[in-house]
Amino acid sequence: MRIPLSVLDLAPVARGETVGDSIAASVALAQRAEEAGYRRVWYAEHHNMPSIASSATSVLIAHVAAHTRTIRLGAGGVMLPNHSPLTIAEQFGTLASVHPGRIDLGLGRAPGSDQNTMYALRRDAASAERFPQDVLELQGYLTGNSRVPGVQAIPGRGTDVPLYVLGSSMFGAGLAAALGLPYAFASHFAPQLLEPAVAAYRRDFRPSEQLDAPYVIAGVNAVAADSAEEAERMLAATRRRLAVGLFGRGRDLTDDEADLLLASGAGHHVDAMLTHTAAGTPAEVREQLTAFARLADADELIVAHQAPGAEARLRSVSLTAEAMDAVAA
């Protein structure tokens, strides 16, 4: 099975590492993905999370783009209610002007943060309700058909940066279908509505100037290693990291303490998040990803390589690409 593979890089900051270390690892990851034939690398906007370094998404994209040559780079995604559409149009218009043909813009409506951080971002309670209108306003700036009289995005106007709607619910599926945009489902951490959302998107899709047929990108986790035992060990480390990040209340827990946290109930939540995870040898990962692509009815897989440590993630990127026989398109 030949299906385009992409990478979702959460720019993790590991214990004992700096943000600079994380960003250097993101550069190396994109370079490896480019060499291995992945289609794109996306970075997600998160705030106030010590373990994630991708909050200034457009800045990170600019840095990685300067250290790669051909691979597409983008946001997966920008949480549009945190920003004005004009600001995002100018940022991604600048990126597209410097790196033409390589920039994507995925859009989500979640805060990517907690309530206090929402205040710090000056995001109000009604921001998410304006998401459909904000997507259209942003699209107008990028295509040179501004919906705001007398206002143009410079840079941005006429760059036609492709938009993608991100989501994990029926809302995103309906919006992407109505606007004729590609749909990226966050099944790597919120798998519950994957199948009905994709089915509704395909059923209700209306062609647009950007896209003439539905296009689905499905998120999936992967831990590819040279042996099943090594993959199992790395997956266990991933479960601990997620449990501590979600339920550790900011504490730096030992592995034994993290295991107790998992056993106390956090494990059910973590395992639900990791429902769609391919882990094992290259042959095992290929089998699992192929089955997932069929289940998700996906045109493209965007893979979050969950192996702990930069070198292990690079190895997972290479092994997964070799196993899936991915080719750049």
Side-chain angles (χ1 to χ4, degrees):
M1 179 181 184
R2 299 170 74 91
I3 184 169
L5 289 183
S6 296
V7 173
L8 177 64
D9 182 3
L10 297 176
V13 183
R15 183 187 303 174
E17 292 187 348
T18 66
V19 168
D21 294 330
S22 169
I23 292 173
S26 287
V27 170
L29 190 69
Q31 291 171 335
R32 180 65 60 87
E34 184 173 75
E35 294 168 1
Y38 286 77
R39 176 169 289 185
R40 65 186 100 236
V41 180
W42 279 2
Y43 306 93
E45 178 186 343
H46 294 282
H47 299 281
N48 196 32
M49 295 185 181
S51 62
I52 296 178
S54 54
S55 56
T57 313
S58 60
V59 179
L60 181 58
I61 292 169
H63 179 67
V64 176
H67 290 83
T68 52
R69 297 178 297 105
T70 58
I71 195 165
R72 298 190 67 88
L73 300 167
V78 161
M79 300 298 106
L80 189 55
N82 293 346
H83 313 273
S84 76
L86 178 60
T87 297
I88 297 303
E90 290 169 343
Q91 290 177 4
F92 280 79
T94 300
L95 288 168
S97 298
V98 178
H99 305 285
R102 294 183 58 198
I103 303 301
D104 299 327
L105 179 48
L107 302 168
R109 65 172 183 148
S113 57
D114 54 41
Q115 292 293 324
N116 289 338
T117 309
M118 285 176 64
Y119 165 77
L121 289 165
R122 300 300 188 264
R123 172 175 171 152
D124 63 70
S127 298
E129 302 304 317
R130 296 194 298 266
F131 182 65
Q133 293 76 24
D134 284 352
V135 172
L136 289 172
E137 183 180 333
L138 173 59
Q139 186 179 53
Y141 290 134
L142 292 171
T143 59
N145 300 299
S146 176
R147 291 171 174 259
V148 181
V151 178
Q152 299 288 342
I154 302 171
R157 178 177 60 185
T159 55
D160 294 308
V161 175
L163 302 182
Y164 299 75
V165 173
L166 278 59
S168 58
S169 69
M170 303 305 292
F171 177 88
L175 181 63
L179 298 183
L181 295 175
Y183 182 47
F185 193 92
S187 36
H188 62 292
F189 76 91
Q192 291 80 3
L193 293 176
L194 170 63
E195 294 172 78
V198 170
Y201 166 70
R202 291 194 178 278
R203 181 191 68 226
D204 299 335
F205 179 85
R206 301 175 185 172
S208 67
E209 289 188 14
Q210 178 178 327
L211 193 65
D212 60 3
Y215 192 86
V216 173
I217 302 175
V220 61
N221 303 291
V223 180
D226 292 291
S227 70
E229 294 75 19
E230 184 182 5
E232 184 176 350
R233 176 183 60 78
M234 292 193 293
L235 185 58
T238 296
R239 293 180 74 247
R240 294 188 189 102
R241 174 176 55 81
L242 289 173
V244 171
L246 292 168
F247 303 103
R249 300 180 182 177
R251 295 172 294 168
D252 188 10
L253 304 183
T254 66
D255 286 352
D256 288 341
E257 291 170 330
D259 286 337
L260 287 174
L261 191 62
L262 286 164
S264 69
H268 295 296
H269 185 89
V270 168
D271 290 340
M273 290 177 61
L274 295 175
T275 296
H276 298 305
T277 298
T281 64
E284 291 170 330
V285 166
R286 176 187 176 89
E287 181 179 354
Q288 294 167 56
L289 288 182
T290 300
F292 171 73
R294 294 191 180 114
L295 173 74
D297 195 13
D299 300 292
E300 179 179 335
L301 300 183
I302 188 159
V303 183
H305 290 275
Q306 296 285 2
E311 288 303 319
R313 282 194 297 278
L314 292 177
R315 184 64 175 153
S316 184
V317 166
S318 295
L319 291 176
T320 300
E322 292 168 7
M324 295 296 289
D325 193 24
V327 292

